[in-house]
Amino acid sequence: MVKQWWVRRYAAARAKAEAGMTTAEYAMGTIAACGFAAVLYKVVTSGAVSGALQSVIGRALDAQF
């Protein structure tokens, strides 16, 4: 009975310790998100994608209802 209690207590403490991200993980996640945003910005503002988006938006605005 006591052994089972210690096993449950250890499992709960371990799960709680691994529940969230540490500061270093937040920093790496933020850097990765900023890098992805920069790449996405470059792709969306490129000539080909910009032209395609303008074409799609133009056709949507000119649609007959």
Side-chain angles (χ1 to χ4, degrees), residues 3-64:
K3 183 179 179 184
Q4 292 173 350
W5 181 80
W6 278 107
V7 168
R8 286 194 310 267
R9 180 178 168 93
Y10 176 74
R14 186 173 177 152
K16 184 178 179 183
E18 297 177 3
M21 292 195 303
T22 64
T23 303
E25 290 170 331
Y26 276 116
M28 292 303 294
T30 302
I31 291 170
C34 289
F36 180 70
V39 169
L40 186 61
Y41 176 77
K42 281 294 195 180
V43 168
V44 170
T45 58
S46 69
V49 175
S50 180
L53 286 173
Q54 287 178 356
S55 173
V56 168
I57 292 170
R59 282 186 282 149
L61 293 174
D62 292 336
Q64 298 292 324

